[in-house]
Amino acid sequence: MSDIAENNIRCGFVALVGAPNAGKSTLLNQLVGTKVSIVSPKVQTTRTRVLGICIAGQSQIAFIDTPGIFAPKRRLDRAMVAAAWGGASEADDVVLLVDASKGITRDTEEIITRLKDTQSKVILALNKVDQVKKPILLDLAAKLDAEGVFSDVFMISALKGNGVDDLLAFLAARAPEGPWHYPEDQISDLPDRMLAAEITREKVFLQLKQELPYRITVETENWEERKDGSVKIDQLLFVQKDGHKQIVLGKGGQQIKRIGAAARRELEEILDCKVHLFLFVKVRESWEDDPERYRHWGLDFNA
Ligand code: GDP
Ligand code: MG
C-alpha cells in the first residue's frame, strides 16, 4: 500500500454555490476560521472565485466560494455567474446553500434545474437555521429532497457555526485520497494585495447606500513593507461618475475617511501589523467594460 492510502491522506475541492445572499462567504469564513471572503447584507458582494483552505484530520479541503448564481443582465453579472458555474465544474463535491429563511426562491429553483442537467449528486446545506422554526425547516428539507438531486442534507448556521463541523467532517471523509495541494498553513489563494482591496470593497458595501457599491471597484496600487514592520498600502477606488466621487468622498472627505478607517482596522488585525492605508478615488466611466479589470479578478470578459 502507498503511504497516502496507508495514512488516509485526502485532498478535495468543494464548491459552495447558491443564490446571492445564501451565506456562502459566511460559511467559507466560518470553515477557515478567519475572514478570507468578504460579506455584506447586500446581494452580489462576492465578485470572483475565492478559495478558502482548511484541514480536517488527514484531509485538506479547498472550498471554492463563488459569486451567487442569478439571472445575469450586465457584462459583469454574466462574468460572475460564469465564474460560479466554473467553480462548480472543477470541484469534487458541490454544496448548494439555501437560505432557509427565504424558502425556495426563483434563483434556487433555476440552480436546481441546472444541477439536474449535470447529473452529479449535490450536498444540500440549509443555512440560517438560527432564523427559522423547526417545522418550517423540516418542511423545506422535505420539499428540496423531493427534487432528487441531493445525496445528503445538512442544517447549518454559517453565522453561528451550528452544524458546520459536521458538514466539514462529512466532506473530509469523502475527499479523494491523495496528497495535499497546498502548504499546511495556506488558508486562501487570494494574494494579500487583493484581499486588502476586497476588505476596502466590503466597507464600501457596508457604508454606502443602495446601488452605488455595485458601481465601484477597488484595486491595490502599491504595497510597501517598511523597516519599522508597518505596511503602507495605496488603493484606487474606481467610480463611474463625478457625482459618485463626491458621495464617496463625502462632506470634507468624511465618508472616505470612515471607509478607510474601518478597512485599516481590519487589515491591521489580519496582517497583525500597523497599516497606513491611503485611498484615492478616480472617475473611470467605463471600468465595467474594461477587459483589464476582468483580468485582474480572473473573470472571463466574454462570458
Ligand atoms: P453570499 O452572497 O452567499 O456569499 O452571502 P454572505 O455570506 O455575504 O451573507 C449574506 C448575509 O447573510 C450577510 O448579512 C450574513 O451575515 C447573513 N448570513 C449568512 N449566514 C447566516 C446564518 O447562518 N444566519 C444568519 N442569521 N445570517 C446569516
Ligand atoms: Mg459571497
Side-chain angles (χ1 to χ4, degrees), residues 24-25 37-38 46 65-66:
K24 300 175 291 297
S25 299
S37 193
I38 63 171
T46 308
D65 184 20
T66 63

Side-chain angles (χ1 to χ4, degrees), residues 34-35 192 195 199 265-273:
T34 179
K35 169 113 118 229
D192 279 350
L195 177 65
I199 299 286
R265 269 197 299 277
E266 185 157 349
L267 281 167
E268 288 187 333
E269 219 171 276
I270 293 174
L271 299 171
D272 201 23
C273 68

Side-chain angles (χ1 to χ4, degrees), residues 95-248:
V95 176
L96 173 67
L97 260 87
V98 171
D99 180 345
S101 68
K102 287 211 185 111
I104 305 171
T105 61
R106 192 67 186 274
D107 282 331
T108 298
E109 263 172 13
E110 277 169 24
I111 296 167
I112 290 173
T113 306
R114 182 142 173 198
L115 288 172
K116 277 180 183 162
D117 293 340
T118 65
Q119 286 175 352
S120 51
K121 286 273 181 179
V122 173
I123 297 147
L124 173 66
L126 276 176
N127 188 30
K128 309 197 189 180
V129 298
D130 55 291
Q131 287 193 326
V132 184
K133 295 221 167 71
K134 207 58 183 266
I136 297 176
L137 205 57
L138 293 175
D139 185 54
L140 184 61
K143 277 204 185 104
L144 284 163
D145 197 40
E147 296 279 354
V149 277
F150 303 111
S151 60
D152 300 86
V153 180
F154 288 82
M155 309 222 180
I156 65 166
S157 170
L159 190 65
K160 312 233 146 129
N162 312 41
V164 172
D165 284 346
D166 286 347
L167 176 62
L168 178 59
F170 173 82
L171 293 166
R174 59 190 250 143
E177 273 178 7
W180 293 359
H181 283 285
Y182 300 96
E184 206 169 324
D185 56 356
Q186 189 171 343
I187 55 167
S188 170
D189 70 337
L190 209 59
D192 279 350
R193 294 171 72 107
M194 249 170 120
L195 177 65
E198 285 291 277
I199 299 286
T200 301
R201 204 162 62 79
E202 180 186 75
K203 305 314 169 201
V204 166
F205 263 83
L206 293 173
Q207 296 197 20
L208 298 177
K209 295 202 179 69
Q210 292 158 2
E211 286 296 300
L212 192 50
Y214 299 97
R215 304 280 95 84
I216 294 173
T217 194
V218 182
E219 291 181 14
T220 300
E221 277 294 297
N222 192 45
W223 183 291
E224 190 187 319
E225 287 175 13
R226 293 184 163 172
K227 282 207 190 83
D228 63 3
S230 68
V231 186
K232 176 178 172 281
I233 303 170
D234 299 328
Q235 292 179 334
L236 277 177
L237 279 72
F238 291 109
V239 298
Q240 289 174 325
K241 289 181 188 156
D242 210 47
H244 290 172
K245 180 172 173 174
Q246 296 316 319
I247 299 172
V248 175

